[in-house]
Each structure stands twice: as structure tokens, then as C-alpha cells.
Amino acid sequence: MNSPAASRSGAVAVVGRPNVGKSTLVNALVGAKISIVSNRPQTTRHRLLGIATFPGGQLQLVDTPGIHRGERSQSATAMHRMMNRAARGALEGVDAAVLVVEAGRWDEEDTLAYEALREAKVPVVLVVNQVDRIREKANLLPYLRQVVEGRDFAGVHPVSALKRTGLDALVAELLALVPEGEPAYGEDEITDKSQRFLAAELLREQLMRQLGAELPYATTVEIESFSEEATKSGPMMRIGAVVWVERDGQKAIVIGKGGARLREIGSKARLSMERLFGCKVFLETWVRVRAGWSDDEAALRSFGYDK
Ligand SMILES: Nc1nc2c(ncn2[C@@H]2O[C@H](COP(=O)(O)OP(=O)(O)O)[C@@H](O)[C@H]2O)c(=O)[nH]1
Ligand SMILES: [Mg+2]
């Protein structure tokens, strides 16, 4: 019998079409920015575990690149194939799944994600995110009725991942869906990824945010050196990073006039690294050209895209 005081622990996949707020939700539940966020689709390229520990138990949240339609097309690059593989792989061995949708919308790609979850045969909790953007709250009720009609959800939660509303009820429901057991990770652990990986991602987040149009998709980041040293004012991380682009013209854009763009990208990335790691960071960045990296599976593996 379940005793109410027993601790629970389980894995929950966070699934949905690109740009609905999956990573924002994972960060809100974990309480730290471990998964990068931008207003561009396909910001998340990797499968990442967000570990969220509560008085009642622990959720291991599997953040995924969105499941998108392009996967079957001939033109899908190696990068897209890897992203879809990561999204589907995320459903293996989870105890429950969260389907994230954008309040007021439900389209073909949401249906695609719902169907992928039904196939996985795990309980699905519907998270209707971004309710802060709905002006007329009265419109939410008919929408909720419509999206659950004929579909099988273990629960439905209107939330704002950004404003952190509705999350307590969501956490309570998810904890009830995962088995009893001791936490799989320590209370102070927040992700399965290394600091080195997180540093690369935080730099890539700034590339996603600060570069226009298609350019972010032609860039990736590699951490060349990573070390910690003691200084008079406490520990400091020394990080050397390479931004890879595909052509010389792209290199010039990333660097910007007199290096201004790269400086701005580096300084914002450094600040978010300092916030996440809780210490001073010295970040050096270089831009290098490697033609065709995004369609080269070997290159992607060397950049860590197989994990
Ligand atoms: N207004 C609002 N924006 C949100 C909310 N959640 C996410 N966003 C924004 O939606 C965009 C995509 O978020 P992200 O977490 O990267 O989506 P993902 O692709 O599903 O992981 C970002 O600009 C977020 O700031 C929310 O609850 N309210
Ligand atoms: Mg994401």
C-alpha cells in the first residue's frame, strides 16, 4: 500500500512540438537554467536530464528536442536525424510523459507528438503552457474541453512555465504517477550533463539569441579547454571555446564589426555560466570554419551530438 509519506522517484519525458516551452518548463521545475531557451525553434539539440527534487520525491525530467515533421524528408540533415532520434529515445524507460502544448493552439505537430506518446504506452499529462499570454481567461475553458475530447490524458494542467504558475499541482500529479522509491540522484544534483557540456550550451544559447535568420543553425560550439583554479577571491573557471561555422562569411558575421558581436555573445554567455556554476568564469572564444559540419555525422559526434 502507498503510504503518503513514502518518497517517490521516476523519469518523466517532456515532449511537444518545437518552441512550446519544454526547456523553460524543465528549468522552472529544476529551479536553475540548465536547458537553453530561445524564441527560435530547435534550440534544444540534445537529450538532457533535469533533476528536480521535492519534499515528496524526485523527478528526472527528460528534456528533448521537439519532435518535428521534417524527419522523413530527404533533405533532413544529419543534425535533424540526430535530433529526432534523441526525441524518440527519450521515451524509453520513462514512467510518465508530459505533452507540452501552447495555450489556445493545437495543430498537426501536436497531434504527431500525442500519437508518439500513445505508442510509448506511458501515462500522459497534458501541460497547456503559456497561459500568461491568454488575455481572455474565459477562452481557456472551451479550449481545454476541446483538446481533451477523445484523447486519453492522466491529467491536464494549465501553467505558465515563464511566470511559474500552476507548477505545484503539476509536480504533485507527476509525483503520484512515478513509483515509490529512493531518489536516483543526490538532492543537490540538477542535471546529468557535465559543466563542460553546460558551458558549451550556454554559449550556443547566445548564438541562437543574438544571430539573425538562419545563421544559428550553421553554428555549433566546442569547448577546447576547461579548468578550475583558485584565486584570491575564490574559485574561477577558465574556459576556452570554439564557435564552429560553415563558411568564411558566417565567421565575419559572428565576430561583427571590430569584434563587437562576439564580445557581446561571450559576455552574456559568461554571465549565465557564472550564475549556473556559482563562481567567476574567464571565457575566451574563437570562431573557426569547418565546412558542412551539420551534415557530417562524424563531426557531430566529435561535438557531442550523440549523447
Ligand atoms: N509568455 C510565455 N512564453 C514562454 C513560456 N514558456 C516558454 N516561453 C517562451 O517560448 C520560447 C520557446 O521556449 P523553449 O523553452 O525554448 O521551447 P522548447 O523549444 O519547447 O524547448 C522562448 O522564447 C520562451 O521564453 C510561458 O509560459 N509564457
Ligand atoms: Mg527546448
Side-chain angles (χ1 to χ4, degrees):
M1 235 175 53
N2 293 346
S3 88
S7 179
R8 292 179 172 271
S9 172
V12 177
V14 181
V15 177
R17 69 173 165 77
N19 232 16
V20 288
K22 297 179 294 298
S23 297
T24 307
L25 178 68
V26 168
N27 291 338
L29 294 175
V30 168
K33 224 266 285 302
I34 51 167
S35 191
I36 64 169
V37 169
S38 86
N39 60 8
R40 294 173 187 281
Q42 299 164 32
T43 299
T44 305
R45 289 177 182 171
H46 309 264
R47 177 181 186 276
L48 173 145
L49 212 58
I51 301 158
T53 308
F54 305 96
Q58 184 180 77
L59 300 172
Q60 296 101 40
L61 301 154
V62 189
D63 189 13
T64 61
I67 292 179
H68 42 90
R69 256 181 321 213
E71 68 181 293
R72 281 186 213 95
S73 83
Q74 295 260 307
S75 62
T77 63
M79 169 71 87
H80 283 119
R81 289 194 296 275
M82 283 208 183
M83 284 167 66
N84 275 316
R85 226 178 288 153
R88 260 185 263 107
L91 292 174
E92 279 164 29
V94 297
D95 301 294
V98 162
L99 174 62
V100 186
V101 297
E102 187 185 320
R105 262 185 78 172
W106 184 290
D107 63 27
E108 193 194 328
E109 283 191 304
D110 298 308
T111 302
L112 200 73
Y114 173 73
E115 280 165 4
L117 291 178
R118 295 296 297 158
E119 268 171 45
K121 301 205 177 357
V122 289
V124 180
V125 171
L126 179 67
V127 166
V128 175
N129 189 31
Q130 309 199 16
V131 292
D132 57 290
R133 294 176 60 203
I134 302 276
R135 285 264 165 78
E136 209 51 71
K137 297 295 177 216
N139 292 341
L140 204 54
L141 218 57
Y143 169 81
L144 292 175
R145 249 186 243 121
Q146 199 188 329
V147 294
V148 302
E149 174 77 39
R151 298 196 178 101
D152 189 11
F153 293 116
V156 180
H157 292 266
V159 311
S160 167
L162 193 70
K163 310 266 188 233
R164 301 179 189 210
T165 62
L167 299 183
D168 291 348
L170 172 63
V171 167
E173 170 128 61
L174 292 175
L175 285 173
L177 285 173
V178 302
E180 274 183 18
E182 290 308 308
Y185 292 85
E187 208 176 306
D188 54 352
E189 288 182 76
I190 53 174
T191 175
D192 63 332
K193 297 291 188 192
S194 65
Q195 289 181 319
R196 198 182 171 111
F197 174 90
L198 296 168
E201 285 289 277
L202 289 171
L203 179 54
R204 200 166 61 74
E205 177 176 62
Q206 292 306 320
L207 297 168
M208 296 296 292
R209 290 185 176 189
Q210 296 192 42
L211 299 176
E214 293 301 303
L215 199 54
Y217 301 104
T219 63
T220 198
V221 171
E222 184 179 26
I223 301 296
E224 277 201 328
S225 61
F226 191 99
S227 61
E228 206 174 315
E229 45 194 78
T231 70
K232 272 188 222 126
S233 50
M236 184 188 81
M237 276 179 191
R238 191 178 282 278
I239 301 172
V242 179
V243 175
W244 288 98
V245 297
E246 302 200 307
R247 291 192 302 274
D248 285 327
Q250 296 169 339
K251 178 174 172 174
I253 297 171
V254 174
I255 292 173
K257 262 204 198 94
R261 172 71 51 91
L262 188 60
R263 263 200 307 281
E264 180 66 14
I265 287 170
S267 104
K268 290 245 168 71
R270 178 180 54 81
L271 285 175
S272 40
M273 289 174 200
E274 289 183 338
R275 209 170 301 135
L276 182 60
F277 300 148
C279 69
K280 281 263 164 254
V281 170
F282 179 78
L283 174 66
E284 272 187 299
T285 49
W286 295 271
V287 183
R288 293 195 195 127
V289 182
R290 175 162 175 173
W293 68 263
S294 72
D295 201 25
D296 176 347
E297 300 227 9
L300 287 168
R301 262 191 300 281
S302 81
F303 294 143
Y305 282 106
D306 57 337
K307 288 181 204 87

